Amino acid sequence: MELDNTRLPAFRHIEVDHIEPAIDTLLTDNRAAIAARLQTGEPYTWENILYPLEDLQDRLNRAWSPVRHLHGVADNDALRRVYNACLVKLSDYATEVGQNEGLYRAYNYVKEHGEYERLGHAERTIIDNALRDFRLSGIALNPADKDRFKQIKQALSQLQTQFEEHVLDATQAWKKPITDVQRLSGLPDSAVRLARQTARREGLTGWVFTLDFPSYMPVMTYADDRDLRFELYQAYVTRASDQGPMAGKWDNTEVMAEILRLRQELGKLLGFAHYADYSLATKMARDSAQVIEFLGDLARRSRPVAERELAELKAFAAHQYGIKELEAWDIPYYSEKLRQHHYAISQEELRLYFPAPRVVQGLFAVVRRLYGLRIERWTGVETWHPEVEFYALYDAANSLRGLFYLDLYARPHKRGGAWMDECIVRKRTATGIQHPVAYLTCNLTPPVGEDPSLLTHKEVITLFHEFGHGLHHLLTLVDYPSVAGINGVPWDAVELPSQFMENWCWEREALDLISGHYQTGEPISSTLLERMLAAKNFQSGMQMVRQLEFALFDFRLHSLPGTTEGPAIQRLLDEVRAEVAVVKPPTFNRFQHSFGHIFAGGYAAGYYSYKWAEVLAADAFSRFLECGIFDRESGVAFLHSILEPGGSRDPMELFTAFRGREPRIEPLLRHSGILA
Ligand code: ZN
């Protein structure tokens, strides 16, 4: 082991009672250190104030990261209490630093007094990002506007919470009890069992369906009973609105109008034309025109394909099932029938070829061939669970670049989903390099008995995706934590390395490394692979225009200069649908009233990011389609141009350095079968 100054957390020795006092001490020390640095009376420089801030923040992150991680993977009541208590303190501290006028002056001073010019890229990006974030938090406003800014922020946070609560209440309030077994026809066993369990919990006989996704989706996809599908569909798409079975209850109409009005005011207060421009201030996309043009271009080219797919679906439903009018509540159902008709492919069949240990070793082999990386398992490192493995990652020159924990399987007290999180961020210190350390967390099916865990192809993709984030974090060569790895990378660009990695899950040469029948070791047959590839792009045009409808609606909504009353929102959505959608929802549809991504979450004027990042990833990968999917020169170029610089440079500059030009949308269209 060669760890230099990277000290790993002692997971088995973290005492819950000691966490809060330790965080308190760090926060007190940090506050005192910042105040002292601001009061020395010396002219501000990178070395005497900005760099020390990096250090203070890093110390805090290193103390907090293992706690945040344990809260995610080994939760218990005592830890949760401490976690929440600390979270409030940390968020107060972050707000305080973000609004500290002394610090704002210090950054400005360093930027304007010659010092900036002699600094490197990473340092300059840190200064520019900080000044931008200070401005976006209203620091440069006059006192009256500053007050108003705070009021708006508070009101927005309350309204967004209210929006979310309305959706949650409406989702939970509606239930569909069923006692006639006939009505369950077509549903898979798992869905029926879930409905039975819900009924029991409610003290009812029979089955109960709800608007929770795991209950709702199987009904829409598999239930033969068309009336049942209609009832669930109507209840689902009218949640928290003026329509449907709960009309007027938890109605979000006013909440949405007020959120939009306040966001407009906030954007204007900070000097932007509208909220969309405010959102773009921290993103890779240049301006509103570029986003609108980008989405419009994708829509123009995808819509004819989506129209053909819908026509095929209609013809299939008419000929095979006698359906004259294909309604919104029929689409997932007949789509599933059509998919089976064409491909008859099941995730269960594929599982046999993806035993987890083989997939993990294969993944390591893929990055070895691409980047020359060597990954070595270390035993004896202290972790939070015996299942967790620990690895060290070496580059082609055999230098240690980073370390990671791999926690693959689902178990009690572990949060669902998959994610990469930072344990330690790379930093140059007086005595050497602090190596980056990552947590890679998945919730794969655990091994049963003698058999290894068998993964679905979807799970394999998830693992590759998170590993892509992990490489971004681990392979950075930036010396300052706030722009090392994924830090400082704009929201619409941060999914590039992760989505990029997913591509290898669809290539024969890579599949040979990551798969093999768990008993015989046999590779996936070419007919199975063909079906798998064909099924991948099933209805991709329809999916594309649906995402574009959401993205365009979101972006144009936040670019509106005028009123945003309820009817105006609906009018805009209707307009967008007329332009891009192929499936026209019924007039009672109030999808927007539960569109939490943009009204309650962080995707306001940012929903386009999903597509933006997909375009980057597909275009980056297209270089490998041209040069060979294991072309080392391209791999090394990706490493140097994208992964190593992390957040220290403008992402468009990085992408252009890798691809030799700005991103194009054709590779995504080709990759999803929209372009032949
Ligand atoms: Zn991701």
Side-chain angles (χ1 to χ4, degrees), residues 66-75 79 83 413-416 419 441 443:
V67 179
R68 179 179 65 219
H69 184 64
L70 284 182
H71 175 251
V73 297
D75 193 23
L79 180 63
Y83 175 82
H413 309 293
K414 183 171 166 186
R415 175 155 50 93
W419 66 92
T441 312
N443 271 279

PDB file of all heavy atoms in Angstrom, residues 66-75 79 83 413-416 419 441 443:
ATOM      1  N   PRO A  66     -17.752  10.463   5.174  1.00  0.00           N
ATOM      2  CA  PRO A  66     -18.064   9.122   5.695  1.00  0.00           C
ATOM      3  C   PRO A  66     -19.398   9.066   6.440  1.00  0.00           C
ATOM      4  O   PRO A  66     -20.082   8.043   6.404  1.00  0.00           O
ATOM      5  CB  PRO A  66     -16.913   8.822   6.659  1.00  0.00           C
ATOM      6  CG  PRO A  66     -15.894   9.863   6.456  1.00  0.00           C
ATOM      7  CD  PRO A  66     -16.498  10.995   5.726  1.00  0.00           C
ATOM      8  N   VAL A  67     -19.774  10.165   7.072  1.00  0.00           N
ATOM      9  CA  VAL A  67     -21.048  10.192   7.799  1.00  0.00           C
ATOM     10  C   VAL A  67     -22.208  10.155   6.801  1.00  0.00           C
ATOM     11  O   VAL A  67     -23.151   9.367   6.933  1.00  0.00           O
ATOM     12  CB  VAL A  67     -21.149  11.468   8.668  1.00  0.00           C
ATOM     13  CG1 VAL A  67     -22.484  11.505   9.401  1.00  0.00           C
ATOM     14  CG2 VAL A  67     -19.984  11.550   9.642  1.00  0.00           C
ATOM     15  N   ARG A  68     -22.108  11.000   5.775  1.00  0.00           N
ATOM     16  CA  ARG A  68     -23.139  11.036   4.730  1.00  0.00           C
ATOM     17  C   ARG A  68     -23.236   9.651   4.095  1.00  0.00           C
ATOM     18  O   ARG A  68     -24.320   9.151   3.828  1.00  0.00           O
ATOM     19  CB  ARG A  68     -22.734  12.079   3.685  1.00  0.00           C
ATOM     20  CG  ARG A  68     -23.706  12.208   2.529  1.00  0.00           C
ATOM     21  CD  ARG A  68     -23.250  13.283   1.551  1.00  0.00           C
ATOM     22  NE  ARG A  68     -21.997  12.902   0.923  1.00  0.00           N
ATOM     23  CZ  ARG A  68     -20.997  13.756   0.654  1.00  0.00           C
ATOM     24  NH1 ARG A  68     -21.115  15.033   0.959  1.00  0.00           N
ATOM     25  NH2 ARG A  68     -19.898  13.326   0.082  1.00  0.00           N
ATOM     26  N   HIS A  69     -22.088   9.026   3.888  1.00  0.00           N
ATOM     27  CA  HIS A  69     -22.094   7.721   3.248  1.00  0.00           C
ATOM     28  C   HIS A  69     -22.752   6.660   4.142  1.00  0.00           C
ATOM     29  O   HIS A  69     -23.593   5.896   3.680  1.00  0.00           O
ATOM     30  CB  HIS A  69     -20.670   7.309   2.899  1.00  0.00           C
ATOM     31  CG  HIS A  69     -20.620   6.016   2.164  1.00  0.00           C
ATOM     32  ND1 HIS A  69     -21.177   5.868   0.908  1.00  0.00           N
ATOM     33  CD2 HIS A  69     -20.145   4.797   2.509  1.00  0.00           C
ATOM     34  CE1 HIS A  69     -21.018   4.614   0.520  1.00  0.00           C
ATOM     35  NE2 HIS A  69     -20.408   3.950   1.469  1.00  0.00           N
ATOM     36  N   LEU A  70     -22.390   6.633   5.403  1.00  0.00           N
ATOM     37  CA  LEU A  70     -22.997   5.652   6.323  1.00  0.00           C
ATOM     38  C   LEU A  70     -24.506   5.852   6.406  1.00  0.00           C
ATOM     39  O   LEU A  70     -25.266   4.888   6.469  1.00  0.00           O
ATOM     40  CB  LEU A  70     -22.391   5.780   7.720  1.00  0.00           C
ATOM     41  CG  LEU A  70     -20.999   5.187   7.909  1.00  0.00           C
ATOM     42  CD1 LEU A  70     -20.553   5.341   9.353  1.00  0.00           C
ATOM     43  CD2 LEU A  70     -20.966   3.714   7.500  1.00  0.00           C
ATOM     44  N   HIS A  71     -24.929   7.100   6.395  1.00  0.00           N
ATOM     45  CA  HIS A  71     -26.358   7.392   6.415  1.00  0.00           C
ATOM     46  C   HIS A  71     -27.040   6.750   5.203  1.00  0.00           C
ATOM     47  O   HIS A  71     -28.181   6.306   5.273  1.00  0.00           O
ATOM     48  CB  HIS A  71     -26.566   8.910   6.417  1.00  0.00           C
ATOM     49  CG  HIS A  71     -27.998   9.314   6.323  1.00  0.00           C
ATOM     50  ND1 HIS A  71     -28.531   9.896   5.193  1.00  0.00           N
ATOM     51  CD2 HIS A  71     -29.011   9.219   7.209  1.00  0.00           C
ATOM     52  CE1 HIS A  71     -29.816  10.132   5.400  1.00  0.00           C
ATOM     53  NE2 HIS A  71     -30.131   9.736   6.609  1.00  0.00           N
ATOM     54  N   GLY A  72     -26.325   6.645   4.081  1.00  0.00           N
ATOM     55  CA  GLY A  72     -26.885   6.040   2.872  1.00  0.00           C
ATOM     56  C   GLY A  72     -26.819   4.520   2.857  1.00  0.00           C
ATOM     57  O   GLY A  72     -27.682   3.867   2.285  1.00  0.00           O
ATOM     58  N   VAL A  73     -25.807   3.936   3.485  1.00  0.00           N
ATOM     59  CA  VAL A  73     -25.612   2.490   3.309  1.00  0.00           C
ATOM     60  C   VAL A  73     -25.723   1.658   4.585  1.00  0.00           C
ATOM     61  O   VAL A  73     -25.735   0.434   4.525  1.00  0.00           O
ATOM     62  CB  VAL A  73     -24.241   2.180   2.660  1.00  0.00           C
ATOM     63  CG1 VAL A  73     -24.165   2.761   1.265  1.00  0.00           C
ATOM     64  CG2 VAL A  73     -23.095   2.679   3.532  1.00  0.00           C
ATOM     65  N   ALA A  74     -25.787   2.322   5.737  1.00  0.00           N
ATOM     66  CA  ALA A  74     -25.894   1.565   6.994  1.00  0.00           C
ATOM     67  C   ALA A  74     -26.687   2.412   7.987  1.00  0.00           C
ATOM     68  O   ALA A  74     -26.212   2.784   9.051  1.00  0.00           O
ATOM     69  CB  ALA A  74     -24.507   1.249   7.542  1.00  0.00           C
ATOM     70  N   ASP A  75     -27.924   2.726   7.572  1.00  0.00           N
ATOM     71  CA  ASP A  75     -28.736   3.675   8.327  1.00  0.00           C
ATOM     72  C   ASP A  75     -29.241   3.094   9.649  1.00  0.00           C
ATOM     73  O   ASP A  75     -29.502   1.912   9.752  1.00  0.00           O
ATOM     74  CB  ASP A  75     -29.939   4.060   7.446  1.00  0.00           C
ATOM     75  CG  ASP A  75     -30.680   5.258   7.996  1.00  0.00           C
ATOM     76  OD1 ASP A  75     -30.065   6.022   8.747  1.00  0.00           O
ATOM     77  OD2 ASP A  75     -31.867   5.407   7.667  1.00  0.00           O
ATOM     78  N   LEU A  79     -28.007   7.428  14.030  1.00  0.00           N
ATOM     79  CA  LEU A  79     -27.221   8.084  12.988  1.00  0.00           C
ATOM     80  C   LEU A  79     -28.076   9.100  12.243  1.00  0.00           C
ATOM     81  O   LEU A  79     -27.643  10.202  11.926  1.00  0.00           O
ATOM     82  CB  LEU A  79     -26.672   7.034  12.020  1.00  0.00           C
ATOM     83  CG  LEU A  79     -25.826   7.575  10.871  1.00  0.00           C
ATOM     84  CD1 LEU A  79     -24.574   8.260  11.396  1.00  0.00           C
ATOM     85  CD2 LEU A  79     -25.442   6.460   9.900  1.00  0.00           C
ATOM     86  N   TYR A  83     -27.261  12.908  11.728  1.00  0.00           N
ATOM     87  CA  TYR A  83     -27.082  13.335  10.342  1.00  0.00           C
ATOM     88  C   TYR A  83     -27.928  14.571  10.052  1.00  0.00           C
ATOM     89  O   TYR A  83     -27.441  15.567   9.522  1.00  0.00           O
ATOM     90  CB  TYR A  83     -27.463  12.181   9.409  1.00  0.00           C
ATOM     91  CG  TYR A  83     -27.441  12.543   7.950  1.00  0.00           C
ATOM     92  CD1 TYR A  83     -26.248  12.540   7.233  1.00  0.00           C
ATOM     93  CD2 TYR A  83     -28.615  12.884   7.276  1.00  0.00           C
ATOM     94  CE1 TYR A  83     -26.219  12.867   5.896  1.00  0.00           C
ATOM     95  CE2 TYR A  83     -28.597  13.215   5.938  1.00  0.00           C
ATOM     96  CZ  TYR A  83     -27.396  13.206   5.246  1.00  0.00           C
ATOM     97  OH  TYR A  83     -27.377  13.541   3.922  1.00  0.00           O
ATOM     98  N   HIS A 413     -31.194  -1.659   5.359  1.00  0.00           N
ATOM     99  CA  HIS A 413     -30.639  -0.385   5.842  1.00  0.00           C
ATOM    100  C   HIS A 413     -29.754   0.318   4.816  1.00  0.00           C
ATOM    101  O   HIS A 413     -28.986   1.206   5.157  1.00  0.00           O
ATOM    102  CB  HIS A 413     -29.860  -0.558   7.154  1.00  0.00           C
ATOM    103  CG  HIS A 413     -30.635  -1.286   8.193  1.00  0.00           C
ATOM    104  ND1 HIS A 413     -31.767  -0.754   8.770  1.00  0.00           N
ATOM    105  CD2 HIS A 413     -30.479  -2.523   8.727  1.00  0.00           C
ATOM    106  CE1 HIS A 413     -32.267  -1.625   9.621  1.00  0.00           C
ATOM    107  NE2 HIS A 413     -31.515  -2.705   9.615  1.00  0.00           N
ATOM    108  N   LYS A 414     -29.860  -0.130   3.568  1.00  0.00           N
ATOM    109  CA  LYS A 414     -29.089   0.520   2.512  1.00  0.00           C
ATOM    110  C   LYS A 414     -30.084   1.198   1.565  1.00  0.00           C
ATOM    111  O   LYS A 414     -31.044   0.568   1.125  1.00  0.00           O
ATOM    112  CB  LYS A 414     -28.261  -0.545   1.779  1.00  0.00           C
ATOM    113  CG  LYS A 414     -27.358  -0.013   0.693  1.00  0.00           C
ATOM    114  CD  LYS A 414     -26.443  -1.135   0.206  1.00  0.00           C
ATOM    115  CE  LYS A 414     -25.759  -0.761  -1.094  1.00  0.00           C
ATOM    116  NZ  LYS A 414     -24.979  -1.885  -1.652  1.00  0.00           N
ATOM    117  N   ARG A 415     -29.855   2.463   1.283  1.00  0.00           N
ATOM    118  CA  ARG A 415     -30.737   3.211   0.386  1.00  0.00           C
ATOM    119  C   ARG A 415     -30.728   2.577  -1.000  1.00  0.00           C
ATOM    120  O   ARG A 415     -29.715   2.071  -1.449  1.00  0.00           O
ATOM    121  CB  ARG A 415     -30.250   4.661   0.320  1.00  0.00           C
ATOM    122  CG  ARG A 415     -30.963   5.554  -0.656  1.00  0.00           C
ATOM    123  CD  ARG A 415     -30.882   7.040  -0.243  1.00  0.00           C
ATOM    124  NE  ARG A 415     -29.523   7.477   0.062  1.00  0.00           N
ATOM    125  CZ  ARG A 415     -28.694   8.034  -0.826  1.00  0.00           C
ATOM    126  NH1 ARG A 415     -29.048   8.182  -2.076  1.00  0.00           N
ATOM    127  NH2 ARG A 415     -27.496   8.448  -0.458  1.00  0.00           N
ATOM    128  N   GLY A 416     -31.888   2.606  -1.690  1.00  0.00           N
ATOM    129  CA  GLY A 416     -31.998   2.001  -3.019  1.00  0.00           C
ATOM    130  C   GLY A 416     -31.263   2.807  -4.074  1.00  0.00           C
ATOM    131  O   GLY A 416     -30.775   3.900  -3.818  1.00  0.00           O
ATOM    132  N   TRP A 419     -25.182   4.882  -7.056  1.00  0.00           N
ATOM    133  CA  TRP A 419     -24.567   6.203  -7.123  1.00  0.00           C
ATOM    134  C   TRP A 419     -23.063   6.127  -6.890  1.00  0.00           C
ATOM    135  O   TRP A 419     -22.555   5.153  -6.340  1.00  0.00           O
ATOM    136  CB  TRP A 419     -25.212   7.159  -6.116  1.00  0.00           C
ATOM    137  CG  TRP A 419     -24.974   6.796  -4.675  1.00  0.00           C
ATOM    138  CD1 TRP A 419     -23.960   7.243  -3.887  1.00  0.00           C
ATOM    139  CD2 TRP A 419     -25.773   5.937  -3.840  1.00  0.00           C
ATOM    140  NE1 TRP A 419     -24.070   6.712  -2.620  1.00  0.00           N
ATOM    141  CE2 TRP A 419     -25.171   5.909  -2.558  1.00  0.00           C
ATOM    142  CE3 TRP A 419     -26.931   5.182  -4.037  1.00  0.00           C
ATOM    143  CZ2 TRP A 419     -25.682   5.162  -1.505  1.00  0.00           C
ATOM    144  CZ3 TRP A 419     -27.442   4.435  -2.989  1.00  0.00           C
ATOM    145  CH2 TRP A 419     -26.827   4.429  -1.744  1.00  0.00           C
ATOM    146  N   THR A 441     -21.598   2.612  -5.270  1.00  0.00           N
ATOM    147  CA  THR A 441     -22.653   1.898  -4.566  1.00  0.00           C
ATOM    148  C   THR A 441     -23.743   1.457  -5.535  1.00  0.00           C
ATOM    149  O   THR A 441     -24.236   2.262  -6.318  1.00  0.00           O
ATOM    150  CB  THR A 441     -23.283   2.807  -3.499  1.00  0.00           C
ATOM    151  OG1 THR A 441     -22.239   3.412  -2.738  1.00  0.00           O
ATOM    152  CG2 THR A 441     -24.195   2.031  -2.580  1.00  0.00           C
ATOM    153  N   ASN A 443     -27.258  -1.516  -5.941  1.00  0.00           N
ATOM    154  CA  ASN A 443     -28.174  -2.378  -5.207  1.00  0.00           C
ATOM    155  C   ASN A 443     -28.528  -3.582  -6.062  1.00  0.00           C
ATOM    156  O   ASN A 443     -29.679  -3.816  -6.391  1.00  0.00           O
ATOM    157  CB  ASN A 443     -29.427  -1.604  -4.809  1.00  0.00           C
ATOM    158  CG  ASN A 443     -29.257  -0.922  -3.467  1.00  0.00           C
ATOM    159  OD1 ASN A 443     -29.406  -1.554  -2.422  1.00  0.00           O
ATOM    160  ND2 ASN A 443     -28.900   0.344  -3.499  1.00  0.00           N
TER     161      ASN A 443
END
